[in-house]
Structure formats: structure tokens, C-alpha cells
Amino acid sequence: MEFGRLITAMVTPFDAQGRIDWEATGRLIDYLIEDQESDSLVLSGTTGESPTLSDEEKLALFRFSVERAAGRCKIIAGTGSNNTSHSIHLTQEAEACGVDGILLVAPYYNRPSQEGLYRHFRAIAESTGLPILLYNVPGRTGVNISAETTLRLAELPNVVATKDCAPLEQITAIAAAAPEHFRVYSGDDSATLPVLTVGGYGIVSVASHLIGSKMKRLIEAHLSGNAAEAAKLHQECYPVFKGLFECPHPVPNPVAVKYALGLKGIPVGGVRLPLVEPTEAEAAFISKLL
């Protein structure tokens, strides 16, 4: 399965009552494919506010997105949790919806050992025929999938990639020793170019909601050996990479990107509690950033 170089972790549009806005969701999918050149979309990831989506909403979102994308890009379903049996159930339901792949976040809060992480991911992988992308984000989950555990999981036939937010040293170790079929994606927009230079394959991005086409050019410049152009594009993108998460101080994702999309004429509504709308100062910063 080819998920491409630029994967967008898509926000979930809500209406004024906080329900999924299906019309806005359809427009957003079209925009991300046609205008921002996304190769794949992750639905119900952290950026999609997965903690506040019910299973019924997630499955409806998967079905809708598969139908709307209509083969123009791949649809990856976020089905991971800190409950292995629940993740297996949701993964199998997502597979029945016709998605192309599964994103599995490391179990959060209960902080399993490396052996526990391995067995968790192996059990889910064995329950489905779909390709699996691991998601290592220690800053959110409180646990790090080590390079050794990632490489061990990479030996499973349908574990095909990792979206990794670990330090560059760990990502380098994974990229250096991974099987040929296994791909390493940066999970941090600002690390896109550094990860590519140490053997990474692409990016699972938030900023691609706004500057996806420029990020695509950045990746293409790197692949063509034009280091100077890649560095120039990285520097141009960097204020957006950082600004969406620090506006002007740390703000939880996807508060900033949802507000920014509204400013760009792509309304996706607000966020669900416990997230809240940007403050006046944050809104002014995002407006200036664009």
C-alpha cells in the first residue's frame, strides 16, 4: 500500500451545535486533495479530536470519507486507544468501512512496558488485513515506543510505517535499520526536512491544511537533490509549522489550525470541550501568521 509522502491529519468539522458538519467535511476533503495535494488523509487522529468522537461518529466519518475521496487519495482511520480489545473492535469495524489503512497511537496514560507495547500492536495487527501505521508521540501519551520495539514491530507483515515524534536520534536509528518495506514519517511538521535527510519518507502533517502544496515542493526538492531549494522552502514554512502550536504561547492542536482554516474561507467550526476557542491574542497572532 502506497500512502504517499504528504499525509494530512485532518480536522473534524463541527457545526454550531458541535455535531459533525458533513457538508463542511466534504468540502474539506476536496480542498485537501485538490488544493493542498494530500496523498492520504488520517481521520480521527488527535488533530481530528478523536478523544471526543464516539465510535459511531468515527465509523460514520470513515464511511463518508472513503466515499467522498473516491480513490483520489488514501483514507487512514485512527483506531488506536489504550484498550487493546477496543482498538481491535474499532479496527475491524473501520476495515468494514473500506478504509485503506489504520493509524495506531501508543497506549496513553497506562504507560505499558516495551513488551506490553509490542503485544498490544501485534494483537491489533493480527486482527486485520489492513496496513498499520504506528504513532509514537511521547509528549501526549507519556510512553515512548523505543527504536528497538519499533523495529521489532516492523517485522510484522502489515506494520508498514511509523509516524514518529521522538528525538531525531531515535528516528535516525529506526530509518537506518528498518526493513525495506517499512517507512518512517515525521509526526512533527517542523522536523519534516531533518527527518527526510536521515532517511525518513514523508510527513503526517497539520500544517498541510494551509501550506500543503508548498510542503509537497519541499519534499520534491529534497528528493531531487536540490538541498538549497529544500532548505529555502523549509525556512519559508517554518513560521507556520511553529505558529500553529505556539500562538504566541503553546496552544493545543487543533485549535489554531481550525481557526486558520476559517480565516482562509474553509470553515470547519470550533472545537469540542475540553478544548476551547483561541483567545483574542491568539486569534490575532494566527491572523497575522497567515
Side-chain angles (χ1 to χ4, degrees):
M1 177 62 67
E2 175 56 63
F3 292 118
R5 304 275 182 173
L6 180 66
I7 301 174
T8 297
M10 196 181 92
V11 303
T12 303
F14 297 131
D15 63 20
Q17 286 73 45
R19 301 169 301 204
I20 295 178
D21 185 329
W22 296 109
E23 184 177 342
T25 299
R27 288 196 305 266
L28 179 62
I29 290 169
D30 293 344
Y31 159 81
L32 290 174
I33 296 170
E34 296 167 5
D35 293 21
Q36 299 301 340
E37 303 181 49
S38 297
D39 297 313
S40 296
L41 302 177
V42 170
L43 283 301
S44 182
T46 310
T47 306
E49 297 177 73
S50 57
T52 69
L53 295 175
S54 68
D55 282 2
E56 292 74 18
E57 287 177 315
K58 290 176 183 180
L59 295 173
L61 189 60
F62 301 155
R63 286 190 290 268
F64 179 90
S65 300
V66 167
E67 183 176 345
R68 185 66 174 233
R72 292 176 294 161
C73 78
K74 299 295 191 296
I75 299 297
I76 302 168
T79 60
S81 74
N82 59 354
N83 179 329
T84 307
S85 62
H86 179 244
S87 295
I88 289 171
H89 170 73
L90 191 58
T91 296
Q92 293 174 335
E93 291 290 309
E95 184 169 12
C97 293
V99 302
D100 300 293
I102 298 296
L103 181 78
L104 296 178
V105 69
Y108 38 85
Y109 190 71
N110 43 15
R111 301 178 69 182
S113 66
Q114 293 300 310
E115 181 63 23
L117 288 169
Y118 175 78
R119 293 190 196 182
H120 168 83
F121 289 120
R122 184 183 67 185
I124 302 168
E126 289 175 347
S127 76
T128 179
L130 290 174
I132 302 289
L133 286 77
L134 309 173
Y135 181 17
N136 186 35
V137 56
R140 280 188 178 269
T141 62
V143 65
N144 175 47
I145 311 171
S146 70
E148 293 76 15
T149 300
T150 300
L151 292 169
R152 189 180 173 198
L153 287 163
E155 296 298 328
L156 300 174
N158 61 330
V159 177
V160 301
T162 181
K163 172 189 177 185
D164 214 306
C165 301
L168 192 62
E169 292 84 354
Q170 179 170 320
I171 293 174
T172 303
I174 296 168
E180 187 176 350
H181 78 276
F182 188 81
R183 289 171 174 168
V184 178
Y185 289 88
S186 174
D188 178 357
D189 281 311
S190 62
T192 302
L193 184 56
V195 168
L196 290 172
T197 62
V198 300
Y201 188 78
I203 173 71
V204 182
S205 175
V206 175
S208 55
H209 284 88
L210 308 172
I211 54 171
S213 56
K214 180 174 280 192
M215 294 178 70
K216 205 66 173 292
R217 296 203 305 275
L218 186 165
I219 294 167
E220 290 165 355
H222 167 78
L223 293 174
S224 68
N226 192 340
E229 178 67 10
K232 175 177 175 289
L233 289 165
H234 173 77
Q235 289 158 3
E236 291 176 3
C237 292
Y238 194 76
V240 178
F241 291 164
K242 298 300 288 185
L244 289 177
F245 294 87
E246 299 176 10
C247 56
H249 48 75
V251 63
N253 183 46
V255 171
V257 70
K258 278 193 148 182
Y259 186 80
L261 282 166
L263 294 179
K264 279 178 64 71
I266 313 291
V268 292
V271 289
R272 285 179 173 175
L273 285 170
L275 301 183
V276 294
E277 300 298 313
T279 65
E280 187 176 334
E282 291 164 351
F285 179 91
I286 298 164
S287 180
K288 184 177 179 182
L289 186 68
L290 294 183

